[in-house]
Amino acid sequence: MKQVDLPKWRDDPFESFSDWKIEIACDDDDDDDRHQWKVYPVHKTFLAHGSRRSEYFSRLFHSETRFKENAVNTSHIVLHLIAVEAFPVLLDYIYGSALSITSENATALHHLGEYFEINPLQQTALEFCQQNMSLENLHLYYVAAQQLCNEPVMSLVTEFLRAHVDNVLPTHLIVEQSHPQLWIEALGLDPSQGNKRCNIYDTSDLSLVIAKMCRNQNEDTLDAKTFHTLAEFLTMIHPNAALDLCELADRYRFDDANHHGALPGLDLFQERCASTLSNQWQDLQSMDDLQVEKMLQRSPEFLVSLLMQSSKRATREVDRLSTELVQSEKLLIAAQKIQWR
């Protein structure tokens, strides 16, 4: 049976004449003495020569005695966990194997390509990210880019979300795993970024997404100003999001009033929410217990506004039905007269 050749770094270091070691540890512990080091016996000629070479190692090996690593033929490198997990894939690639890239490790491979200065890997990984992104896996790229501070991949995530924001559902994992800043940049709500503001006529579906995303935040990731920026964009609100958004508006208006004074616009936003609910005034009596509890937590001003708007709409509906009834009676009388003739 023919033996399958593995990348040389996977062979016995003595038999493969390994002349360098890379020791990798995870950066989840600030104490260097407590790092758990994973040792990879490697070869200088693969690391620093050829089309897939690392400029990082090439510069290191040509430095002779300038770096302490040369004295012990060992590099100690601390990486984020997801980069540590992708490191064997990086070595396989350097040693000539096909790149085993997936949506789970693509961002980490791009990060490693940047770290070790392997230009072909950076380009290949970034192209894969761009072609592979979907609303189903966007959260993988976002979380990895955030953890690795990977600006090129984060830019791709932002651009993709911007292009497909109309198709995002509350059930997509990017909604619950992302921070508000991603949505502000994708929607073009931050003038300092220079992005054109998105033009979405009907933001009803988006309001469901924004409501769920905001509910998953804490005080470190969402403040009154950020919520106000997002809320102001929602010119139309879905009835199923109105109460949650009102609750958020109350929370951040209260926090802001304690610290910086009330932000303008939140009262108008709550009026918009009340208007949305009043449009569905027939459904108010069929609210479940959770909705009733949320309603009871609203401010008296909000409840009065909702009551007045609902009453007006109900009155208009009664007037419309009364008019239709009168017209129907007239038509019925006219039809009876014709029949009697």
Side-chain angles (χ1 to χ4, degrees), residues 115-127:
Y115 189 100
F116 293 108
E117 301 174 57
I118 308 172
N119 292 330
L121 177 59
Q122 293 182 55
Q123 182 177 351
T124 300
L126 204 60
E127 289 175 354

Side-chain angles (χ1 to χ4, degrees), residues 1 12 14 32 61 71-72 87 106 108 121 132 135 138 153 155 168 181 188 204 226 228 259 270 291 307 317 322 329:
M1 182 176 179
D12 179 89
F14 178 79
D32 289 343
F61 298 154
V72 291
F87 190 75
L121 177 59
N132 181 256
L135 288 175
L138 192 62
V153 175
S155 294
V168 179
Q181 189 60 34
S204 297
T226 303
H228 170 68
H259 296 92
Q270 295 225 35
Q291 291 173 315
L307 176 61
E317 180 66 12
S322 298
E329 289 176 346

Side-chain angles (χ1 to χ4, degrees), residues 87-229:
F87 190 75
V89 179
L90 167 72
L91 288 182
D92 284 345
Y93 171 80
I94 290 176
Y95 276 71
S97 297
L99 185 62
S100 299
I101 188 169
T102 66
S103 55
E104 286 78 10
N105 68 13
T107 306
L109 287 171
H110 180 267
H111 171 75
L112 291 171
E114 286 187 325
Y115 189 100
F116 293 108
E117 301 174 57
I118 308 172
N119 292 330
L121 177 59
Q122 293 182 55
Q123 182 177 351
T124 300
L126 204 60
E127 289 175 354
F128 178 89
C129 293
Q130 188 169 24
Q131 296 169 8
N132 181 256
M133 274 185 191
S134 69
L135 288 175
E136 283 67 36
N137 65 22
L138 192 62
H139 63 288
L140 297 175
Y141 291 103
Y142 171 79
V143 172
Q146 188 179 50
Q147 291 175 336
L148 297 171
C149 300
N150 192 311
E151 292 185 6
V153 175
M154 186 62 81
S155 294
L156 290 180
V157 170
T158 304
E159 292 169 7
F160 184 91
L161 183 60
R162 180 180 178 86
H164 299 86
V165 69
D166 286 338
N167 301 318
V168 179
L169 301 175
T171 53
H172 284 127
L173 291 178
I174 186 64
V175 176
E176 62 183 62
Q177 295 191 20
S178 58
H179 290 169
Q181 189 60 34
L182 171 65
W183 298 87
I184 286 178
E185 293 179 8
L187 294 170
L189 305 182
D190 185 354
S192 66
Q193 297 295 321
N195 293 331
K196 184 179 179 181
R197 186 183 178 95
C198 281
N199 184 20
I200 303 176
Y201 173 72
D202 187 347
T203 61
S204 297
D205 290 340
L206 180 61
S207 70
L208 291 168
V209 170
I210 296 299
K212 183 174 182 180
M213 183 273 296
C214 288
R215 289 202 312 271
N216 282 283
Q217 306 306 313
N218 55 46
E219 60 183 9
D220 295 326
T221 57
L222 182 62
D223 56 22
K225 182 178 180 181
T226 303
F227 177 76
H228 170 68
T229 301

Side-chain angles (χ1 to χ4, degrees), residues 24-27 38 40 78-88 112:
I24 300 291
C26 183
D27 65 359
K38 172 69 174 177
Y40 295 93
V78 179
L79 299 170
H80 190 281
L81 175 60
I82 58 176
V84 171
E85 293 173 344
F87 190 75
L112 291 171

Side-chain angles (χ1 to χ4, degrees), residues 36-48:
Q36 298 295 318
W37 297 95
K38 172 69 174 177
V39 180
Y40 295 93
V42 289
H43 308 79
K44 290 182 179 180
T45 186
F46 282 97
L47 295 178

Side-chain angles (χ1 to χ4, degrees), residues 224-238:
K225 182 178 180 181
T226 303
F227 177 76
H228 170 68
T229 301
L230 291 166
E232 188 181 52
F233 184 78
L234 301 175
T235 55
M236 296 185 184
I237 298 170
H238 195 284

